[in-house]
Structure formats: structure tokens, C-alpha cells
Amino acid sequence: MTASSTSCLPDSESIRKTWQKLTGIVKQTPVLTSETLNILTGSKLFFKCENFQKAGAFKFRGASSALLHISDDQAAKGVCTHSSGNHAQALALAAKIRGLKAFIVMPENAPEVKVNAVRDYGGQITFCMPTLEARESTLEEVRKATGALFIHPYNNYNIIRGQAGCFYEILQQMDEEPDYIIAPLGGGGLLAGTILSAKYFTKKTRVIGAEPLNANDAWKSFREKRFIPSESPLTIADGLKTSLGTKTYPIIMEHVEDIITATEQGIIDAMFLVWERMKLVIEPSAAVPLAALMENPERFQNKKTGIILSGGNTDLRRIPWLENRYHH
Amino acid sequence: MTASSTSCLPDSESIRKTWQKLTGIVKQTPVLTSETLNILTGSKLFFKCENFQKAGAFKFRGASSALLHISDDQAAKGVCTHSSGNHAQALALAAKIRGLKAFIVMPENAPEVKVNAVRDYGGQITFCMPTLEARESTLEEVRKATGALFIHPYNNYNIIRGQAGCFYEILQQMDEEPDYIIAPLGGGGLLAGTILSAKYFTKKTRVIGAEPLNANDAWKSFREKRFIPSESPLTIADGLKTSLGTKTYPIIMEHVEDIITATEQGIIDAMFLVWERMKLVIEPSAAVPLAALMENPERFQNKKTGIILSGGNTDLRRIPWLENRYHH
């Protein structure tokens, strides 16, 4: 992959129009602030609450965007994906709202809470062995049997166009451009979308990606200027384990200001802070930007810095700081 | 006490002006909705997020209101109260913002997290034995030694005037009056304030108080039409254990539409629902209105119903549904 393969990039007009078309489908989530966290970090923070988004994460923006662009013929056959996480729920709900079928391939060890959520949203689940190979081959069988359109969780310009709406929306909600905006970084859909909106709609905002130190494939790629895949990383931030895709990699490599990382303990501590001080339930992946900022505070001193709280889907019966207490 | 002792009731103009004067001091908290909870309850719900209020609860409205009305001479001597809960934190922070001293009497067994919060806000703590008698006599000593003005947590018209701002603010944020508004009911400051704002600023909104079944002194008082005190109730909703006061009792008895109750399990279940589905950290007391609605759903079917999520100060190391799992 090279940084020049960006010929079909979503343009500014299509990002704006997609956001407008999704009014009333996608929630306009609030932007909140915390004086306590400003004092703790030395930055002037604001938080975009995508944990309040439908299906509990920003992924619903991308999934809804993807469904705007499919033909009537395709719509009749439905859509499909493989995911054990937020994309599965988001696609199932977006499809339900559009009146389409959604076929979701999930690993047989997926958490019950996530399986139930997909089922509640009307998704038709096919279970498979918990390997990427099994997921892909099972998806291929489902796709052939149903004719459903595969909606990739991030390596898809219609998905990126939807995720771009998150930062576009922030700009509509604020009086002035922030100095920085930090997005969590897994497959890169949210970060790539944020980069495009910053490029098109701001004069000065710099975009930072935040990754778990234990899943720092993009951090390495950025430093070594070549694609380095993610290799079965162990991190509590389960939404950020994937590799970049052929469509997100070049956008990020060309335009991101920097990629910063957070330790596992830092992620848990930041998650605790947001729950305790902001009274917001966020999932571990959503705590990674704040954790990375707190481990790399210098450049953010007195700067207006946005943090995307990407989602709130976490098992409330397994609280990280209590699991530590009870299991270690 | 009789329902006629309401001669010094806050009037509509003073409620409106107090709310306006506190702009920039008291947070304008968001109103959120949840399609999932609408489906679960059959009602058209909205939630006023006082868990996002400064110091983590609506109590900051009343405390800030009380400090608007003290003389310069009194201001020099500071304010005092006894409380192990949200009023202590709220008064300490409101005093700090006004540049006043706050003397807080707390029982020696108060949770460390609450003691630390009061101290962080600059409150000067005096510990006492954990009985109401000791709290009152220690407060009296502190008051005599310092000359500080006692700010009662609810039985004070300036406090009630401030709490009335919560529902007044809701009305500014909404396009139409709700059919019902439900407030949790302990000492009655928030409920009395809500009643006054409904009376002055709406045509049709009916106000409901929600109480733990295990602390149903106001429910009994309302049914028997006489004052019945709270007697050391055992409930997880630790903010709602107190008796009504001489100023809150008559307002509530005269104007409340009804008082409804919730079981302990219902409170925990409702708290879990709000955390899981709305991604909001609320304390047990704040879950009582939703719990009581879910145990008494009939009258709220298809009605626009507001719920005041009164606060979010709960020990995140002691999660009720996990305490049950680990300790039973």
C-alpha cells in the first residue's frame, strides 16, 4: 500500500450531504466538558459523546451511511458482515431501520451481551469458529447463499464518509475550531473520517490517533513509513485490535499529525476517571484517547482539544478495576 | 405541621431570577431520551441529567441559590452544615466558588470517597459520632465557634428556590410541557421546587414523587394526611432516607399528584438499565423515579414523562449488582 492510492476519497460535499441525509436517523450526540479533567490534564478538553449514539457507538454513523448508497436490487437481498463488536450491532440496527435484512457472522465465543444486542436489532446470526479464517469463509458462504452485500467495518469509503460526520458535527456544535482532535485508532475508519473533515472544514485543527501500546501497529507503521499489520494483540481495548485497511492506511499516513499510545493501566485509569468524574459509561477503547493524552500531555497544555468517546458498549458485570481486584 | 404554613413560598419571579443569576455558575444539564426505555416502559420518557451537575448532583443548585442570599457580614464568617452526602459536597463547592469558608460536619464513618470530595472542594471537615444527635450538637459547636450560617439541605426556602430551577430549566429546553415529571423524594427539597415550577410555569404538568418502598414515610404521610417521620430506613438509595421538613411537607402535601414507590431490587435494576442502555452513571437515589415508574406503569402509557436523574455520586468500587454477586 502507498499513500497515493486515495483517488476515490470522499469529498467535502459528500461528507456534508451524507451527514445531512442522516439527520433523524443518526443521533446528534452532545459535546461535554469537565473542569476536573481540565485541571488534571492542563488541556482545555471537550468530549464528543458517541457512547450515546444509537447502538452505543460511532459505528452506527458508518453503517447508516453505507446503507444510503445501495441499490434497490441490493437492498432486497440485504447486507452482511462479520464482527463480534460494535459494527455488528450498528449494521443490524441500521438495516432494521432501513427495513433490510442483516446477516451477521459472529465467532461462537462472542460475549452473550453482544450476541443478544445483534439479535434484539433483528440481525440474523451465523456462528463460526473464532478465527479470522473461519469468519471470512463463513461470511463468504452466507454471502453466496443470500446475495447480501458485504459491508466492511472500516475499509469502505461509504463507511469512512459516515464516520467523517462525527467531527463535521462537532464543528457545527462549537464556536471555534479546536487545536487538536484525538480519535481512537483500530482499523482507522473513525480516524480517517476525522482527518478528512479536519482537512475540508477547518483551518488549523490537527488530528491525532490514539492506540493501545499493546496494539501499536499503526504507531509503528507511521514511524517506519510502511504498512505493519496487527498481530493478535492483547489489550483491554477490544475495538482497537485490527490492522489498518487499504483505504484507511493512506489517508492516515498522509494527513495524521501524530499517533500516540496508552498503556493498559492508563486505559483502565482513564476509563475510571470518565465514569467517576464525567458520569459517563464508556468502553475501554473509548478511554484510549484520554489515556494517551495523559501519558503524552506536553503538546496539549492550554490547547483546545477534542476527544471522541467512541462508544459505551461494555459488560457492566465485568468492570475492569473490579476484575483486577477480584481476580489478581 | 399543616398544609397552610406556606406563607413565605418562593414566588415565580424569584425562581426565575435565581435561575438566571446562577447562569454560568450552575451547569445547564442536558435532557436525553432513550428509545429502548420508551419501548420497555410504554411511556415517552425524557431524562434530566443532574448527574452531570457540578459536584455531581442537583444539590449544587440549592447550595448556590442559598449563597446568593447571604449578607456580606455573614459571608465573611462562612457557612456550615452537617451531611454525609451530596449536600456537603455541593455546599463546599458553591462556597469555594463564592470565596467563602464552608464548615462541614460529617459522621466519622462517612465513605472515604465523600470525605475526599468535600476536602477537594476546600470544605473544612469536623468529624462526629454517626448519630443525628451528635451531628446536630457538633454542628451547633462549630456554628458557635465560627459564626458560620447553617444551610439546611432542604428545609430552607432559598434551597427550594434553587432546586426549582431544575424543572424551570427543563421547560426552557423543551418544545412542549410534559404530562408528568417524577422527582426522587427524600427531604423533599427537589420535589417541592419541582412542584412550584410546575405550578407557576406549566398549564398541565403533574408532579409525582418517587420514594424507596423501604423509606416510604412521605408515601404514608400522603395517604394518611398527617406527618409521619422516617425511622432509620434501610435502603440502597442513601440520599432518600430523611424525613420531610416543615417547609417541604406542606408544599408537597398540597400539590403533589401522587407519591409512588420502588422496591430495592427495582432500584438496582433501574440503575443497571440507565447505565447499560443510556450509558449514564447514576447513583441509586437517582434510579428511584424510573424504578417506581416501572413498578407503576399504567398512568404513564404514551404520556410524555420527565425523570430527574438527581445525581451520579456512587462508589465505582462498589457496584450494586456485583456486590450482590460477590457477597450473597
Side-chain angles (χ1 to χ4, degrees):
Chain A
M1 284 188 289
T2 72
S4 63
S5 61
T6 57
S7 52
C8 312
L9 275 186
D11 62 17
S12 65
E13 189 59 11
S14 77
I15 289 173
R16 200 178 55 73
K17 276 199 176 158
T18 295
W19 181 82
Q20 284 175 336
K21 278 188 197 164
L22 293 173
T23 305
I25 296 173
V26 168
K27 258 196 199 175
Q28 179 160 335
T29 57
V31 169
L32 300 179
T33 57
S34 162
E35 287 179 31
T36 306
L37 286 177
N38 285 348
I39 292 166
L40 272 175
T41 60
S43 184
K44 292 182 281 186
L45 300 176
F46 66 89
F47 296 84
K48 177 66 167 170
C49 296
E50 289 296 296
N51 58 327
F52 293 156
Q53 190 50 264
K54 286 185 190 168
F58 77 91
K59 293 278 186 183
F60 184 71
R61 293 180 184 271
S64 300
S65 167
L67 298 192
L68 285 179
H69 299 276
I70 66 178
S71 67
D72 290 349
D73 179 52
Q74 190 55 64
K77 294 177 180 158
V79 291
C80 64
T81 201
H82 64 82
S83 164
S84 62
N86 288 330
H87 178 61
Q89 298 181 46
L91 188 65
L93 180 59
K96 182 184 179 187
I97 289 171
R98 269 284 306 268
L100 311 187
K101 286 179 192 159
F103 302 93
I104 313 288
V105 173
M106 300 186 85
E108 58 193 15
N109 64 350
E112 197 185 334
V113 58
K114 300 207 167 182
V115 173
N116 289 342
V118 169
R119 200 169 271 145
D120 285 351
Y121 293 139
Q124 298 187 32
I125 302 173
T126 307
F127 290 101
C128 69
M129 302 282 286
T131 65
L132 183 60
E133 217 170 25
R135 283 162 64 150
E136 288 178 343
S137 64
T138 307
L139 179 71
E140 186 54 20
E141 285 164 26
V142 168
R143 207 186 56 71
K144 277 191 184 148
T146 61
L149 180 68
F150 172 42
I151 308 286
H152 192 281
Y154 53 87
N155 207 36
N156 173 321
Y157 284 133
N158 288 328
I159 293 279
I160 295 171
R161 195 173 276 119
Q163 319 305 26
C166 179
F167 186 49
Y168 177 81
E169 185 172 291
I170 289 173
L171 294 169
Q172 312 311 304
Q173 293 170 299
M174 298 186 63
D175 296 332
E176 48 164 0
E177 293 177 7
D179 298 300
Y180 291 100
I181 178 87
I182 316 180
L185 172 49
L190 179 61
L191 183 61
T194 304
I195 281 172
L196 294 179
S197 280
K199 176 172 137 87
Y200 296 139
F201 305 114
T202 77
K203 291 199 181 73
K204 66 168 189 189
T205 305
R206 290 157 193 224
V207 182
I208 309 264
E211 228 180 7
L213 181 61
N214 282 7
N216 65 347
D217 53 292
W219 180 89
K220 284 189 217 149
S221 299
F222 183 65
R223 263 128 193 104
E224 300 191 16
K225 299 192 193 321
R226 65 186 179 92
F227 177 74
I228 296 172
S230 176
E231 288 178 350
S232 313
L234 280 176
T235 172
I236 191 173
D238 56 355
L240 306 182
K241 291 180 173 181
T242 43
S243 300
L244 294 170
T246 50
K247 295 187 172 65
T248 54
Y249 174 82
I251 299 173
I252 292 168
M253 291 301 132
E254 189 170 345
H255 297 291
V256 81
E257 171 77 7
D258 200 358
I259 295 172
I260 59 180
T261 61
T263 61
E264 293 300 296
Q265 190 56 50
I267 295 167
I268 295 173
D269 291 348
M271 184 177 167
F272 183 86
L273 264 180
V274 170
W275 285 42
E276 188 182 53
R277 297 310 179 115
M278 300 192 69
K279 316 300 182 188
L280 294 173
V281 173
I282 60 169
E283 61 191 72
S285 300
V288 171
L290 177 61
L293 179 148
M294 293 182 81
E295 293 180 25
N296 302 272
E298 302 78 15
R299 88 176 85 190
F300 303 105
Q301 295 307 298
N302 290 308
K303 300 294 184 187
K304 196 161 181 69
T305 304
I307 281 177
I308 302 179
L309 296 174
S310 49
N313 293 328
T314 191
D315 186 345
L316 293 176
R317 292 187 178 85
R318 303 201 60 174
I319 309 281
W321 47 92
L322 298 182
E323 295 289 314
N324 285 344
R325 187 178 72 177
Y326 288 114
H327 295 166
H328 285 221
Chain B
M1 285 188 288
T2 72
S4 64
S5 61
T6 56
S7 52
C8 312
L9 273 186
D11 63 16
S12 65
E13 188 60 9
S14 77
I15 289 173
R16 200 179 54 74
K17 277 200 175 155
T18 296
W19 180 82
Q20 284 175 336
K21 279 188 197 165
L22 293 174
T23 305
I25 297 173
V26 167
K27 258 195 201 176
Q28 180 159 333
T29 57
V31 169
L32 300 180
T33 58
S34 163
E35 287 179 32
T36 306
L37 286 177
N38 285 348
I39 292 166
L40 272 174
T41 60
S43 184
K44 293 182 280 186
L45 300 176
F46 65 90
F47 296 84
K48 176 67 167 170
C49 295
E50 289 296 296
N51 58 327
F52 293 155
Q53 189 50 263
K54 287 184 189 170
F58 77 92
K59 293 276 186 183
F60 184 71
R61 294 181 183 270
S64 301
S65 166
L67 298 194
L68 284 179
H69 299 277
I70 66 176
S71 66
D72 290 350
D73 179 52
Q74 191 56 64
K77 293 176 181 159
V79 292
C80 64
T81 201
H82 64 82
S83 164
S84 61
N86 288 331
H87 178 60
Q89 298 180 46
L91 188 65
L93 180 59
K96 182 184 178 186
I97 289 172
R98 268 287 303 270
L100 311 187
K101 286 179 191 160
F103 302 93
I104 313 289
V105 173
M106 300 186 85
E108 59 194 15
N109 63 350
E112 197 186 334
V113 58
K114 301 209 167 180
V115 173
N116 289 342
V118 170
R119 201 169 271 145
D120 285 352
Y121 293 139
Q124 297 186 32
I125 303 173
T126 306
F127 290 101
C128 68
M129 302 282 287
T131 68
L132 183 60
E133 218 169 24
R135 282 163 63 150
E136 287 179 343
S137 64
T138 308
L139 179 71
E140 187 55 20
E141 286 164 28
V142 168
R143 206 187 56 71
K144 277 189 183 151
T146 60
L149 180 69
F150 173 42
I151 308 286
H152 192 282
Y154 52 88
N155 206 37
N156 172 322
Y157 284 132
N158 288 327
I159 292 279
I160 294 171
R161 196 173 276 117
Q163 320 303 27
C166 178
F167 186 49
Y168 177 80
E169 184 172 291
I170 288 172
L171 294 168
Q172 312 312 304
Q173 293 170 298
M174 298 187 62
D175 296 332
E176 50 164 0
E177 293 177 9
D179 298 301
Y180 291 100
I181 178 87
I182 316 180
L185 172 48
L190 179 61
L191 183 61
T194 304
I195 281 171
L196 294 179
S197 280
K199 176 171 137 88
Y200 296 139
F201 306 114
T202 77
K203 292 200 180 73
K204 65 167 189 188
T205 305
R206 291 158 193 225
V207 182
I208 309 263
E211 227 180 8
L213 181 61
N214 281 7
N216 65 346
D217 53 292
W219 180 89
K220 284 189 218 152
S221 299
F222 183 66
R223 261 122 193 111
E224 299 190 18
K225 300 191 193 319
R226 65 186 178 94
F227 176 74
I228 296 171
S230 176
E231 288 177 350
S232 313
L234 281 176
T235 171
I236 191 173
D238 55 356
L240 307 181
K241 292 180 172 181
T242 44
S243 300
L244 294 170
T246 51
K247 295 185 171 66
T248 55
Y249 174 82
I251 299 172
I252 291 168
M253 290 303 131
E254 189 170 345
H255 298 290
V256 80
E257 172 76 8
D258 200 358
I259 295 172
I260 58 179
T261 61
T263 61
E264 294 299 297
Q265 189 59 49
I267 295 167
I268 294 173
D269 292 347
M271 185 177 168
F272 183 86
L273 263 180
V274 171
W275 286 40
E276 187 182 55
R277 297 310 178 115
M278 300 192 69
K279 315 300 180 188
L280 293 173
V281 173
I282 61 168
E283 60 191 73
S285 301
V288 170
L290 177 62
L293 179 149
M294 294 181 81
E295 293 181 26
N296 303 272
E298 302 78 16
R299 89 177 82 190
F300 304 105
Q301 295 308 297
N302 289 310
K303 300 294 184 187
K304 194 161 183 68
T305 304
I307 281 177
I308 302 179
L309 297 175
S310 49
N313 293 328
T314 190
D315 186 345
L316 293 176
R317 292 186 178 86
R318 303 201 61 175
I319 307 281
W321 47 92
L322 298 182
E323 295 290 314
N324 285 344
R325 187 179 72 178
Y326 289 114
H327 295 165
H328 285 220

